[in-house]
Amino acid sequence: MTLQSLWESIVAFYEPTLEIFSLWAFGLPLFVTVLAVMFIVAQKFETPLTLRSLKQAAFPTEQYDHASSRVDMWNGIILLALGFPLVGIMAINGLAIADNVGAYVSAEYGARAPLITSTWALVAVQFLVYFLSVDFVGYWVHRWCHTTPILWHLHKPHHTAETLTPWTLFRQHPIEFFGLNIIPAVVGGAFTGLVLYATGSQIQPGTIAAITTTAYIAFFVIDVFSHVHMPISYGWMNRIVLAPVMHNLHHSMEPHHWDKNNAVILTLWDWMFGTLYLPKKGETWRWGCNDEEYGDNNPHRTLRGFYFDPFKTLWRHVKEGESSNL
């Protein structure tokens, strides 16, 4: 392999990440502006409105200088450098899986006549099936991460966060990071492939455009906003779409909040399956995992603890299980 071909391979590998950064160039200024405005609307802003006061409101020093936030940031940088290209490829492959599954079933059982002739109707059906199936699987994977001991050991580091900033979105153990992103895309793609067969169709270009646009909007409106320090509510829409306050509460260390609001995008699933918790007026909480693993006792205050502690606790869990069976 020549030096030029090696460089071309590296560029090709990071192309999805570079595309994400180019989108962020437009999205981040809008995010900062909306965040500051939403803070003013949600709070009684008693200090003079200056750029400095708005900056402090949107990015409070006590949040971003915290040890927890520094772990979030450095892990995020590492994931951006190593993980995002692969996850981007897998997300795109979710649609490729749909096409392949549809083609395979058609080859096995015979092609079906087109059920929908309108392009717009076809795009709408394909988009809704893919979006709802991926979000539905994402909800259950997230819920199982809380209720299945083995999965909880990998998911727990996300919940030892004692601050909430947009970097907390990336506070995922690398192994969990790939699983949470890949499993919904693969399962959702396979289910969409069955629908392609049932409707006698293939993935439409408009479907790809709709999914790409939705992913971009969901990242800034749902993912990033759900990890900010402000408990912003969408009112009655909290029962349908993940508002910041709903995921804000999901990070609560209060026992009666544990395992609630597992939604990825649609809290509709929480509502349907009994894990929805609507915060009461004036209700407050602390962020973290529990009182025993808080502050100086937080096992994930450093990157070393963040990466290796899950394996230690998982091994301890396995050994205790073996001992109880003796």
Side-chain angles (χ1 to χ4, degrees):
M1 178 179 288
T2 64
L3 187 62
Q4 181 178 356
S5 61
L6 177 62
W7 174 251
E8 290 175 351
S9 298
I10 294 174
V11 171
F13 179 78
Y14 281 101
E15 186 175 355
T17 301
L18 295 176
E19 290 179 357
I20 290 173
F21 281 136
S22 67
L23 293 174
W24 284 2
F26 297 98
L28 283 176
L30 177 62
F31 165 72
V32 173
T33 303
V34 172
L35 189 64
V37 171
M38 292 184 80
F39 179 85
I40 296 172
V41 173
Q43 306 285 333
K44 292 183 178 180
F45 204 72
E46 298 177 353
T47 59
L49 292 180
T50 64
L51 288 177
R52 184 175 181 180
S53 63
L54 288 176
K55 177 179 177 293
Q56 178 61 20
F59 305 103
T61 304
E62 65 274 12
Q63 292 284 322
Y64 285 80
D65 284 350
H66 197 282
S68 177
S69 181
R70 289 196 292 271
V71 170
D72 299 350
M73 181 186 69
W74 283 111
N75 185 60
I77 291 173
I78 292 171
L79 289 181
L80 285 170
L82 300 177
F84 255 67
L86 295 177
V87 170
I89 291 171
M90 285 305 301
I92 294 172
N93 279 349
L95 294 177
I97 290 170
D99 252 342
N100 289 332
V101 168
Y104 173 79
V105 178
S106 295
E108 287 292 318
Y109 299 99
R112 295 172 63 90
L115 187 63
I116 303 173
T117 56
S118 169
T119 301
W120 284 107
L122 197 57
V123 168
V125 169
Q126 292 179 354
F127 167 75
L128 287 174
V129 168
Y130 185 77
F131 169 74
L132 291 175
S133 59
V134 168
D135 196 57
F136 179 74
V137 174
Y139 162 81
W140 279 105
V141 170
H142 188 190
R143 181 171 174 173
W144 289 331
C145 283
H146 282 260
T147 58
T148 306
I150 292 179
L151 296 179
W152 169 246
H153 289 290
L154 288 174
H155 186 59
K156 181 180 177 180
H158 186 67
H159 282 273
T160 54
E162 298 176 15
T163 60
L164 285 187
T165 73
W167 283 112
T168 312
L169 170 64
F170 303 105
R171 189 187 177 92
Q172 298 180 46
H173 195 277
I175 296 177
E176 182 205 21
F177 178 76
F178 288 109
L180 285 181
N181 287 278
I182 291 172
I183 293 174
V186 171
V187 177
F191 181 75
T192 303
L194 296 177
V195 174
L196 293 180
Y197 166 73
T199 56
S201 61
Q202 294 180 333
I203 290 290
Q204 299 293 302
T207 303
I208 299 174
I211 291 172
T212 303
T213 303
T214 302
Y216 177 63
I217 295 173
F219 179 82
F220 283 104
V221 177
I222 305 295
D223 292 341
V224 175
F225 273 123
S226 66
H227 290 91
V228 296
H229 62 287
M230 293 179 290
I232 298 168
S233 172
Y234 295 159
W236 66 268
M237 287 288 290
N238 289 345
R239 292 178 173 83
I240 302 174
V241 180
L242 185 67
V245 69
M246 301 297 284
H247 196 76
N248 195 299
L249 182 143
H250 177 73
H251 278 267
S252 167
M253 62 188 293
E254 314 305 332
H256 59 287
H257 293 155
W258 291 351
D259 307 335
K260 302 297 183 182
N261 300 348
N262 299 297
V264 178
I265 295 179
L266 298 179
T267 49
L268 178 66
W269 312 124
D270 283 300
W271 193 9
M272 290 174 61
F273 298 105
T275 54
L276 184 74
Y277 187 103
L278 296 171
K280 301 175 180 62
K281 186 176 181 180
E283 186 175 8
T284 60
W285 51 83
R286 297 167 296 162
W287 297 313
C289 192
N290 53 58
D291 286 315
E292 291 73 29
E293 298 173 294
Y294 188 77
D296 291 338
N297 295 324
N298 190 331
H300 308 134
R301 285 174 64 86
T302 64
L303 275 178
R304 180 178 179 179
F306 184 83
Y307 288 134
F308 294 107
D309 179 74
F311 297 111
K312 293 179 182 178
T313 58
L314 178 59
W315 175 250
R316 193 181 311 129
H317 173 81
V318 172
K319 295 299 291 183
E320 290 174 354
E322 291 177 352
S323 300
S324 64
N325 291 329
L326 295 177

